[in-house]
Amino acid sequence: MQTIEAKQIMLDTIKRTRSLHAALALLEWDSMTVAPPKGEQARAEVIGALAGEAFVLETSEAFGEALDALNEQAEGLSPLERRIHAVAYREYLRNRRIPSDLYQAWATDKELSAAAWHRAKEEDDFASFQPHLQKMIDYNREFIRLWQIPGSPYDALLDIYEPGMRTEQLDPVFDHLLAETREILGRIPSQPAPAPLVVAEESQRAIGQWLLEEIGFDLKAGNLFPTEHPFTCTVHHGDVRLTTKYIPEHPESSIFSVLHEGGHGLYEQNVDGKLRGTNLADGASMGMHESQSRLWENLLGRSMAFWQSRIGRLSELSGGVIPADAQAFYRRINQVRPSLIRIEADELTYNLHIIVRYQIERRIFNEGIDADALPALWNSMYQEYLGVVPPNDTQGILQDVHWSQGSFGYFPTYSLGNLYGAQIAATMEKRLGSFESLAGNGEGLGSILSYLKENLYRYGMEKEPGELLTAMTGETLNPSYLTDYLRRKYSAVYGL
Ligand code: ZN
């Protein structure tokens, strides 16, 4: 096949599948927010048909032949086209190495596993879920064997979500984070939870809109809707939909989920226009994406400087329920309390929840541990790292959906986000001045956003996450930036 023809097939196929995925994203957003329940069945059929079309295109012989041909003819491609090809080929090879009957069995068993997990979590019945979990583990072991990705078996899974990341690099990073976090945690006194503030849903909506304007999210190229489990949905660069959940007696939940999803949204809105319609118009990796949600949510959004100048407006929008006392609000939103549930964890202990999951996953795939051993392992690690023991599996190993859907290797990207975020923030502070001086005013936040657009967001997937980090910060992943930040922060909050 001629280079020109192969290139045309590659670019056209990618563009068409992107369009189908945009329609699918919109349908998914719709079903999670405003869709009426009686349309569920018909909607599922529409989704199935579109997803089928996309799959046919992505795995078509013509697409595969074009990618194979371009693999031999890379000199006929521009640097950008070469990158488009590399990313597409990586994904294509992963798919091609799995026989289609194995893939179909996996798709079916995954649905059954997710359903079994729902029931098991509701009824606190790990035993009924165990065989499904074992199947998910076995499928992944088989995929790892077929993929032939260099490194340890678990590396092949990490590589799906964080291209280029390896356990060899991650182990010492997480060991450092674990030891430092436990040391800081050990010095924090336990205290009772503060009395809840009850803020009406309508007021919380106004607060959410205001916060998005404050951080520079373009509300003409996106919006905010309520949902059950907050997420960000990118239809395309001009339509980025954020979601949040309004809990009257817990306004902090929507405040910080809006800032979190807002960070994801800023990244998506600011990918360079030249990447539109290509497979590079996304964030660099799950970890890099998460670094931005957490930078806006935690590093800026939970800082004293951010609220010092905004607490008056927040108090006003809350109808006076949240007192206009920045110091009190700062302490409230930075309380540390070891807990059982990951998604409710504070900024410090959150990483411990991730390290438990990471170490378990690594042992499953690198040491051959099976599903039957996992509940006891989970509980003993929670006891050791967090000092809490789950009273049942619902609040323990059954709490997260990921493993039931066969997703292993995803969890570490949450903590990678915290690590990348702190390292990027430290470099930014050297260039622009301290967050202390920037977070309080619109101009300061604007300069942070401009810096991130210029050095990170615009690149989309043009570069690998490790490459971007080194280009931005001048070094490879270094956990000291996060642990130094945590140490400084909690010394200030608790006067340690
Ligand atoms: Zn996120």
Side-chain angles (χ1 to χ4, degrees):
M1 196 184 292
Q2 296 285 315
T3 307
I4 294 185
E5 189 195 351
K7 194 163 81 180
Q8 208 52 49
I9 292 172
M10 174 181 80
L11 296 175
D12 284 350
T13 308
I14 290 172
K15 197 162 187 182
R16 284 171 64 197
T17 52
R18 299 279 305 180
S19 296
L20 288 167
H21 283 296
L24 282 163
L26 188 53
L27 281 164
E28 194 199 337
W29 175 86
D30 181 77
S31 68
M32 298 288 194
T33 51
V34 296
K38 284 190 179 171
E40 197 179 318
Q41 184 58 38
R43 196 163 53 241
E45 283 167 26
V46 175
I47 289 172
L50 285 177
E53 285 295 312
F55 184 77
V56 167
L57 279 173
E58 280 158 349
T59 55
S60 69
E61 218 165 289
F63 187 47
E65 277 170 14
L67 292 175
D68 277 334
L70 293 173
N71 197 40
E72 308 290 318
Q73 302 161 25
E75 66 287 347
L77 299 176
S78 72
L80 187 63
E81 288 163 352
R82 235 174 275 169
R83 178 67 185 160
I84 291 171
H85 173 262
V87 170
Y89 204 41
R90 181 162 70 193
E91 209 161 299
Y92 180 78
L93 285 182
R94 261 190 196 274
N95 291 335
R96 186 161 71 183
R97 285 176 178 154
I98 310 249
S100 68
D101 52 344
L102 181 65
Y103 185 84
Q104 273 168 22
W106 149 255
T108 307
D109 283 339
K110 207 161 63 162
E111 291 298 314
L112 296 175
S113 170
W117 169 77
H118 264 284
R119 278 193 309 274
K121 184 177 178 183
E122 230 155 68
E123 293 158 15
D124 181 29
D125 179 13
F126 179 81
S128 69
F129 173 57
Q130 188 185 305
H132 295 277
L133 179 58
Q134 187 60 46
K135 259 192 185 165
M136 293 297 104
I137 292 171
D138 291 340
Y139 274 113
N140 274 282
R141 285 180 178 151
E142 180 64 5
F143 294 158
I144 290 167
R145 198 182 63 76
L146 293 164
W147 283 330
Q148 304 163 21
I149 303 222
S152 75
Y154 183 55
D155 288 341
L157 300 175
L158 268 182
D159 198 73
I160 300 174
Y161 306 100
E162 203 61 24
M165 184 52 70
R166 297 289 177 262
T167 32
E168 198 181 53
Q169 186 184 6
L170 214 40
D171 273 341
V173 166
F174 277 0
D175 284 348
H176 173 92
L177 182 57
L178 174 63
E180 291 277 307
T181 304
R182 290 179 72 190
E183 200 279 322
I184 300 169
L185 185 59
R187 291 189 290 125
I188 291 178
S190 63
Q191 70 268 276
L197 299 164
V198 181
V199 176
E201 184 173 328
E202 211 178 279
S203 305
Q204 292 194 38
R205 280 175 197 264
I207 291 169
Q209 296 285 328
W210 164 64
L211 286 173
L212 291 177
E213 283 165 23
E214 288 293 298
I215 64 172
F217 180 81
D218 183 354
L219 283 157
K220 290 218 160 60
N223 57 27
L224 177 64
F225 267 78
T227 188
E228 187 56 33
H229 298 287
F231 63 98
T232 292
C233 165
T234 302
V235 182
H236 47 72
H237 74 283
D239 187 351
V240 179
R241 302 182 183 213
L242 313 180
T243 59
T244 188
K245 184 179 182 177
Y246 302 112
I247 308 168
E249 64 281 8
H250 193 30
E252 299 91 337
S253 171
S254 77
I255 289 173
F256 291 100
S257 86
V258 164
L259 287 171
H260 181 99
E261 303 306 332
H264 283 305
L266 287 173
Y267 198 163
E268 293 286 321
Q269 282 185 336
N270 290 294
V271 170
D272 198 319
K274 75 174 180 195
L275 304 178
R276 277 172 214 163
T278 77
N279 55 349
L280 307 182
D282 299 313
S285 66
M286 299 298 299
M288 205 45 94
H289 229 303
E290 204 62 14
S291 80
Q292 295 314 298
S293 55
R294 281 155 197 268
L295 189 142
W296 291 93
E297 175 196 354
N298 291 334
L299 304 185
L300 290 163
R302 287 182 204 271
S303 71
M304 185 64 193
F306 187 87
W307 291 107
Q308 188 101 59
S309 60
R310 293 184 179 85
I311 193 69
R313 182 75 181 132
L314 177 67
S315 176
E316 201 180 302
L317 288 170
S318 75
V321 175
I322 300 175
D325 177 344
Q327 191 53 250
F329 189 64
Y330 176 68
R331 276 200 304 271
R332 166 183 279 272
I333 61 177
N334 285 301
Q335 285 230 335
V336 172
R337 201 169 288 109
S339 61
L340 296 167
I341 308 295
R342 175 183 63 87
I343 57 169
E344 292 165 9
D346 55 76
E347 194 183 350
L348 179 68
T349 59
Y350 187 88
N351 296 309
L352 299 177
H353 292 264
I354 295 305
I355 292 171
V356 166
R357 288 156 177 76
Y358 167 74
Q359 292 187 349
I360 291 176
E361 289 185 340
R362 194 193 50 183
R363 293 183 63 185
I364 292 172
F365 295 100
N366 286 357
E367 295 172 22
I369 289 186
D370 282 325
D372 58 345
L374 299 185
L377 184 58
W378 179 286
N379 292 348
S380 74
M381 289 175 84
Y382 262 78
Q383 161 104 68
E384 192 186 344
Y385 295 170
L386 285 125
V388 293
V389 183
N392 52 55
D393 290 326
T394 297
Q395 290 170 282
I397 192 166
L398 290 173
Q399 65 181 271
D400 295 308
V401 67
H402 307 56
W403 291 347
S404 75
Q405 300 173 335
S407 294
F408 297 89
Y410 188 124
F411 281 121
T413 66
Y414 294 118
S415 281
L416 273 172
N418 290 329
L419 292 156
Y420 291 156
Q423 187 165 332
I424 290 167
T427 311
M428 223 178 352
E429 290 194 277
K430 273 181 224 151
R431 303 264 159 81
L432 305 176
S434 70
F435 277 11
E436 198 79 354
S437 64
L438 298 171
N441 57 79
E443 202 181 318
L445 283 188
S447 69
I448 291 173
L449 179 56
S450 300
Y451 179 91
L452 291 168
K453 278 186 200 174
E454 183 59 27
N455 292 284
L456 178 62
Y457 300 167
R458 72 185 173 103
Y459 289 109
M461 278 182 83
E462 260 188 282
K463 295 170 193 278
E464 296 286 75
E467 233 183 304
L468 277 166
L469 186 73
T470 315
M472 283 183 88
T473 68
E475 58 183 309
T476 53
L477 182 60
N478 177 349
S480 305
Y481 289 105
L482 179 60
T483 53
D484 287 352
Y485 155 78
L486 292 169
R487 204 170 273 286
R488 272 199 315 277
K489 173 160 190 171
Y490 292 104
S491 296
V493 173
Y494 286 97
L496 301 176

